[in-house]
Amino acid sequence: MSVLELRGLTKSFGGVHAVRDVSFEIGAGEFLAMIGPNGAGKSTCFNMINGQLAPDSGDILCDGKNIAGLAPRDIWRLGVGRTFQVAATFGSMTVIENVQTALISHARESYRLWRPAASRHRTRALELLRQVNMQDAADRPSRELAYGDVKRVELAIALANDPKLLLMDEPTAGMGASERHGLIELVKRLVVERGISVLFTEHSMDVVFAFADRIVVLARGRLIADGDAASIRDNVQVREVYFGTGKTFAGASA
Amino acid sequence: MTLNAFLFQILNGLSAASGLFLIAAGLSLIFGVTRIVNLAHGSLYMLGTYIAYTFATKIGGVTGFWGGIVATALIVGVIGALIEIVLLRRIYRAPELFQLLATFALVLVINDAALWLWGPADLLGPRAPGFRGAIEILGRRLPSYDLFLIVIGPLVLLALHLTLSRTRFGRLIRAATQDREMVGALGVNQAVLFTSVFALGAALAGLGGALQIAREPANLATDLIALGDAFVVVVVGGMGSIPGAYLAAVIIAEVKALCVGIGVVDFGFVTINFSKFTLVAEFLVMAIVLIARPYGLLGKAQGAVRSIAEPEEPIRPATPLLKALGAVVLVLLVCLPLLAQSTYFGSPYLLVLGIDVLIAIIFAASLHFIMGPGGMHSFGHAAYFGLGAYGAALLVKWLALPFGAALVAAPLLALAGALLFGWFAVRLSGVYLAMLTLAFAQIVWAAVFQWEGFTGGSNGVIGVWPPPPFDKSWVYFLLTLVLAVAAVLLLRRVLFAPFGYAMRAGRDSALRAEAIGIDVKRVHWLGFAIAGLICGVAGGLFAFAKGSISPETIHINRSIDGLVMVLLGGVQTLTGPIVGASVFAVLQDTVMRQTEYWRALMGAIILVLVLAFPQGIVGAFAALWRKAGGRT
Ligand SMILES: Nc1ncnc2c1ncn2[C@@H]1O[C@H](COP(=O)(O)OP(=O)(O)O)[C@@H](O)[C@H]1O
Ligand SMILES: [Mg+2]
């Protein structure tokens, strides 16, 4: 059963066809990687799914409902969360306040004017921070965190509304190899434990082939391949696209 | 209006458009390259009028007039270059808000310098040699100098266009306007480019001012009027676009000319005097354009100009120390009426000062609410103060509403205004939001100023005194104290509640806030409305405290005062606006009343603030405290 289905998704900026006629499905509980060279249209796809951009044409079906063109906040309420390529949190808040703000929004309490926010959903927020191993930093100002920790906090925020689908645009950008594996492992664990589906982009082929259940490949806005690690590795078109970019699939372990 | 009269008004409009264009072109050019909104631009224009007057009268004749105009443009250009080198260079990377304030400080300083150099009287220059007569057109007489002005606008437009498109300097300006990173990459000496652009912009303003002396006297109020005009034109035309500036100048000048031309119209059921709409008209045009095309008619969306402010500390509940301090201050304030009666150092003036301070605190706290946690830098907060004050006074005057009811109705009126204006304002951000809030405040001001029959026009409303027992100043003081404490605590409460978190989340990152389900615009809109409501309380209290109000209540100066109070205390702290408002109100009531040159003094305070104390009094203390090892 699919959580999300893209049908003929298309978007261009001026003359640039960023995304052209892209269709694929994301299954329930699936850990799906989207790969492709820089400028392939990955972020644009993410932005259309989460509502930041309206597609020129095409449908985005979520539980059979077309969500293309809805506002990000409405799509979030339907259970589609996201993290951003350039990670950041609400810098004027502590780590736990960041998560509480998301929980408050999820509980539709953002317009409450009286009872202090600090006491709201604190236990649940701590629990989420524990899941991403950030509980010890709960009361630190979030802007003081190291970049890798910011990514974890973003993940905790994204989990606040019990999403059924999580979109993660380059969650490991700017991370070292071991940190990268750590984060993806953590996400993978959450996928398995909570039954969430995750669509993520990632530049490290090692990581992709090691963890992804399935892989879709984008190049110049078009979907050129969709399948499991073995079929992608053997795909001639994919090899062509990556030829000369310095990335080899040779060392990738399945 | 006959067709001929209509066409004649169009010609009048065109000559006014040239004047507008000359002021606006320089402002637009400077903004395009340096991204600084130079509030002192009107002051450079005013300097142009005074300097040209001096040449025309001291030297006289054709040389004094025409040579003087050229010399004036050069001198003002040099002044502009000096301003850029001495002041602006230090603040290119500062937050927008600080740039606006620093250049406003210049407005104050230049105004007092002109007062000192040329005195307070209006100075009328001679007629232009060679253009003394009038020409018969469409059955009316048009001064030939107006015809000269009609031609000069497009000529300057053409000259600027050729400079921008044909010269290396022009290419650099265009490159810098379109892509700031590129200038650095080209290896151009950016400092030289910025200084010369500022000098050119200033020279245009000086030229614009100099050309006016044959028509209007040099006057100390021209700076803000010219600034207002220039702004409207630049914002309507699109910041950084020179052709846009000319287009906007023509549109605005024509709208104004037609308002005058139409005059009084009897619609049968109501008679409207359109010539009274001139002041409102330009701001109305600006508001409409900003709403429909936020970047102006020919402007392009500007890449977000990230302000590099000190990152903000998380807000924490008050420490026991702070609470104790607050309690002590409160007890002292409650005892103030007794103190005022004491024989040694008491004086009834103490209570008047106390009431001023408390009203300033409500005003500043409400502005801080949207400026700090909301990140909306309103340059028109006086509108809600004025709506509260006029609301209370007019309800008493026209409906004979009792004191209590008027005090309750005042904030509601301000709330209504804030809901209306805020709905549009929150759709913009940064400089554009500042300009739109300013435009709305100017619309309110102009409406109050020109709607004489209802608001008393420039005379205002008098005789709005509170009934007993509130006519005794100590009772009124205590009432103000209760309301001020309630307002401050209420705003604090809201900031610590979920709504305050949502508002800050929207400010820290609108994108991320939206991605966790927060409707940022709606949250900020409501924040804007809450601030307006509380500000209305201050306005209502003000009206009854003074017993009379005038359009000055809504003047741009009050909006700026509010900004200074908040920054003086520190925009990033919750106690900042309270301390800032207190210090400011005391300074204003004591030091500034002593000197004729209070503007320059005020300008100096702002400059010190911006250059040396960007975190404000409370912020500076907090930093010292942290350094000393204490906890805040
Ligand atoms: N807002 C935008 N305006 C114009 N072009 C854009 C915009 N966003 C993306 N593009 C273009 O669309 C293409 C796809 O970009 P993107 O989706 O960011 O790729 P990826 O994330 O795969 O690196 C690129 O050519 C990029 O330059
Ligand atoms: Mg990308």
Side-chain angles (χ1 to χ4, degrees):
Chain A
M1 197 194 77
S2 75
V3 177
L4 198 84
E5 186 183 346
L6 310 189
R7 278 196 203 150
L9 211 56
T10 300
K11 178 83 191 175
S12 53
F13 299 104
V16 183
H17 294 281
V19 173
R20 276 195 260 195
D21 195 21
V22 166
S23 307
F24 63 87
E25 287 183 21
I26 306 169
E30 196 170 31
F31 198 42
L32 175 61
M34 178 187 275
I35 63 171
N38 268 329
K42 305 183 295 292
S43 292
T44 306
C45 263
F46 274 63
N47 289 341
M48 285 190 284
I49 299 175
N50 106 301
Q52 216 165 292
L53 286 173
D56 294 341
S57 62
D59 298 333
I60 304 168
L61 300 176
C62 178
D63 287 336
K65 184 181 172 218
N66 191 2
I67 60 167
L70 290 187
R73 54 174 183 276
D74 296 326
I75 291 176
W76 181 80
R77 295 237 178 256
L78 293 172
V80 179
R82 84 168 283 182
T83 63
F84 289 82
Q85 181 166 351
V86 182
T89 49
F90 302 123
S92 72
M93 297 184 192
T94 62
V95 168
I96 194 162
E97 285 170 350
N98 267 279
V99 183
Q100 281 174 298
T101 303
L103 288 165
I104 284 169
S105 173
H106 181 47
R108 296 178 184 271
E109 297 172 344
S110 292
Y111 292 96
R112 304 272 169 99
L113 298 170
W114 199 247
R115 228 183 73 215
S119 56
R120 287 174 197 255
H121 311 294
R122 199 176 156 89
T123 331
R124 176 92 182 100
L126 275 172
E127 166 62 20
L128 284 170
L129 285 175
R130 199 188 51 70
Q131 289 183 10
V132 297
N133 287 326
M134 287 296 296
Q135 70 273 40
D136 293 337
D139 289 311
R140 284 178 58 193
S142 68
R143 63 184 166 80
E144 285 176 0
L145 298 179
Y147 192 64
D149 290 344
V150 172
K151 293 257 174 185
R152 289 168 189 278
V153 175
E154 259 207 320
L155 182 58
I157 294 172
L159 292 173
N161 67 331
D162 289 320
K164 55 183 179 226
L165 171 64
L166 202 55
L167 309 168
M168 302 182 78
D169 198 1
E170 306 211 11
T172 68
M175 285 186 172
S178 69
E179 212 183 356
R180 170 177 308 179
H181 276 263
L183 185 77
I184 295 294
E185 240 176 273
L186 172 70
V187 176
K188 173 92 183 183
R189 209 182 65 225
L190 291 172
V191 169
V192 175
E193 280 174 9
R194 298 170 147 233
I196 307 176
S197 315
V198 171
L199 172 66
F200 72 110
T201 60
E202 172 59 55
H203 277 296
S204 159
M205 292 305 150
D206 287 0
V207 171
V208 170
F209 286 114
F211 292 100
D213 295 329
R214 211 180 98 214
I215 300 166
V216 291
V217 187
L218 241 57
R220 287 202 221 104
R222 287 187 193 282
L223 187 84
I224 56 166
D226 179 346
D228 61 6
S231 77
I232 296 295
R233 202 176 299 138
D234 297 335
N235 188 303
V236 184
Q237 247 187 312
V238 176
R239 280 170 177 270
E240 237 167 57
V241 165
Y242 274 95
F243 184 76
T245 60
K247 291 202 168 61
T248 53
F249 299 153
S253 52
Chain B
M1 200 165 40
T2 63
L3 183 64
N4 272 0
F6 176 79
L7 290 175
F8 190 76
Q9 272 318 111
I10 296 264
L11 278 182
N12 261 336
L14 276 181
S15 93
S18 288
L20 282 179
F21 171 66
L22 283 179
I23 323 176
L27 185 66
S28 197
L29 208 59
I30 291 171
F31 175 82
V33 174
T34 67
R35 288 295 188 277
I36 283 204
V37 176
N38 176 27
L39 292 180
H41 203 71
S43 309
L44 295 168
Y45 173 88
M46 183 184 75
L47 280 180
T49 61
Y50 276 106
I51 296 174
Y53 166 85
T54 306
F55 276 116
T57 51
K58 291 273 146 46
I59 297 175
V62 175
T63 330
F65 189 92
W66 295 110
I69 285 178
V70 176
T72 300
L74 293 177
I75 292 174
V76 177
V78 170
I79 295 175
L82 286 177
I83 290 175
E84 199 275 342
I85 291 169
V86 175
L87 175 66
L88 298 184
R89 262 186 207 181
R90 292 167 209 279
I91 54 170
Y92 281 129
R93 296 172 65 80
E96 274 167 1
L97 179 64
F98 283 67
Q99 300 174 345
L100 289 169
L101 276 167
T103 54
F104 189 77
L106 282 178
V107 172
L108 299 172
V109 172
I110 293 176
N111 195 282
D112 268 358
L115 172 66
W116 184 66
L117 283 168
W118 285 284
D122 286 8
L123 304 174
L124 186 59
R127 305 283 262 320
F131 291 92
R132 293 221 164 88
I135 291 166
E136 176 119 356
I137 293 181
L138 301 164
R140 285 150 201 261
R141 291 173 62 77
L142 187 73
S144 55
Y145 191 71
D146 282 17
L147 236 104
F148 165 72
L149 286 182
I150 291 179
V151 178
I152 200 95
L155 275 184
V156 172
L157 175 63
L158 186 70
L160 278 176
H161 175 75
L162 290 179
T163 311
L164 287 180
S165 55
R166 300 282 163 83
T167 66
R168 188 179 129 75
F169 178 57
R171 272 198 298 280
L172 285 176
I173 290 181
R174 276 186 303 147
T177 306
Q178 275 147 24
D179 183 358
R180 292 162 63 62
E181 316 302 317
M182 222 171 90
V183 189
L186 285 170
V188 180
N189 189 338
Q190 184 174 316
V192 174
L193 177 68
F194 279 25
T195 310
S196 29
V197 165
F198 209 88
L200 175 61
L204 283 170
L207 177 67
L211 285 171
Q212 290 301 318
I213 60 157
R215 307 176 82 211
E216 279 161 25
N219 173 311
L220 286 173
T222 350
D223 52 356
L224 284 186
I225 295 171
L227 174 67
D229 288 346
F231 251 145
V232 173
V233 170
V234 170
V235 169
V236 168
M239 294 216 191
S241 163
I242 303 292
Y246 188 70
L247 180 65
V250 170
I251 291 175
I252 288 163
E254 293 300 351
V255 168
K256 280 181 154 189
L258 289 182
C259 277
V260 174
I262 292 170
V264 184
V265 178
D266 191 353
F267 287 102
F269 56 99
V270 62
T271 325
I272 295 180
N273 185 351
F274 277 93
S275 57
K276 295 212 161 192
F277 282 117
T278 47
L279 274 180
V280 190
E282 62 185 274
F283 287 103
L284 219 54
V285 170
M286 164 152 133
I288 292 169
V289 168
L290 271 181
I291 290 160
R293 282 189 63 96
Y295 299 104
L297 294 174
L298 299 187
K300 293 198 191 71
Q302 304 286 349
V305 191
R306 274 294 121 235
S307 49
I308 313 166
E310 282 269 306
E312 190 154 322
E313 286 286 322
I315 59 168
R316 313 261 191 202
T319 54
L321 179 68
L322 187 63
K323 278 183 182 155
L325 206 67
V328 170
V329 172
L330 195 60
V331 169
L332 282 178
L333 283 174
V334 172
C335 296
L336 197 72
L338 293 175
L339 221 65
Q341 284 172 350
S342 83
T343 30
Y344 296 109
F345 50 93
S347 100
Y349 175 67
L350 208 55
L351 284 179
V352 175
L353 180 63
I355 291 171
D356 281 354
V357 167
L358 289 171
I359 290 174
I361 286 176
I362 306 177
F363 181 54
S366 67
L367 175 60
H368 171 264
F369 184 76
I370 45 173
M371 244 176 97
M376 295 173 271
H377 299 160
S378 167
F379 265 59
H381 206 52
Y384 315 102
F385 191 83
L387 282 172
Y390 267 91
L394 292 176
L395 284 171
V396 169
K397 184 180 167 193
W398 292 112
L399 299 182
L401 224 61
F403 172 66
L407 263 195
V408 172
L412 294 181
L413 210 81
L415 172 70
L419 279 173
L420 175 66
F421 296 152
W423 194 85
F424 297 106
V426 298
R427 263 136 249 278
L428 304 179
S429 63
V431 165
Y432 293 91
L433 180 138
M435 290 307 115
L436 188 62
T437 49
L438 176 66
F440 285 136
Q442 290 304 101
I443 289 174
V444 174
W445 176 80
V448 164
F449 194 83
Q450 296 200 324
W451 197 359
E452 264 185 69
F454 183 56
T455 62
S458 57
N459 297 321
V461 187
I462 51 170
V464 208
W465 295 108
F470 297 103
D471 55 343
K472 291 196 188 58
S473 57
W474 70 271
V475 182
Y476 199 79
F477 171 79
L478 288 182
L479 172 72
T480 312
L481 180 61
V482 169
L483 288 178
V485 170
V488 167
L489 290 182
L490 186 81
L491 289 173
R492 254 188 110 88
R493 184 94 200 177
V494 172
L495 282 182
F496 282 100
F499 182 78
Y501 279 56
M503 198 160 81
R504 275 159 60 214
R507 171 203 63 185
D508 286 355
S509 169
L511 204 63
R512 281 174 177 81
E514 289 277 343
I516 57 165
I518 296 173
D519 188 339
V520 173
K521 286 199 177 97
R522 202 158 139 217
V523 165
H524 281 179
W525 180 43
L526 284 182
F528 200 94
I530 292 173
L533 177 81
I534 300 290
C535 185
V537 175
L541 283 171
F542 178 84
F544 286 109
K546 301 292 169 203
S548 65
I549 48 168
S550 68
E552 216 174 295
T553 320
I554 320 169
H555 197 264
I556 173 175
N557 277 341
R558 183 174 303 274
S559 296
I560 303 279
D561 285 353
L563 290 170
V564 174
M565 290 178 204
V566 171
L567 290 178
L568 186 63
V571 69
Q572 302 192 343
T573 60
L574 296 186
T575 34
I578 301 173
V579 173
S582 309
V583 172
F584 184 87
V586 170
L587 273 182
Q588 198 173 39
D589 277 16
T590 53
V591 183
M592 297 197 187
R593 297 254 155 92
Q594 307 290 320
T595 163
E596 192 184 352
Y597 296 103
W598 61 269
R599 283 182 209 85
L601 189 69
M602 172 91 180
I605 294 175
I606 299 178
L607 284 178
V608 169
L609 255 180
V610 168
L611 295 176
F613 277 106
Q615 72 278 60
I617 297 174
V618 176
F621 269 116
L624 271 180
W625 182 252
R626 272 197 298 279
K627 240 186 220 160
R631 291 177 36 83
T632 38

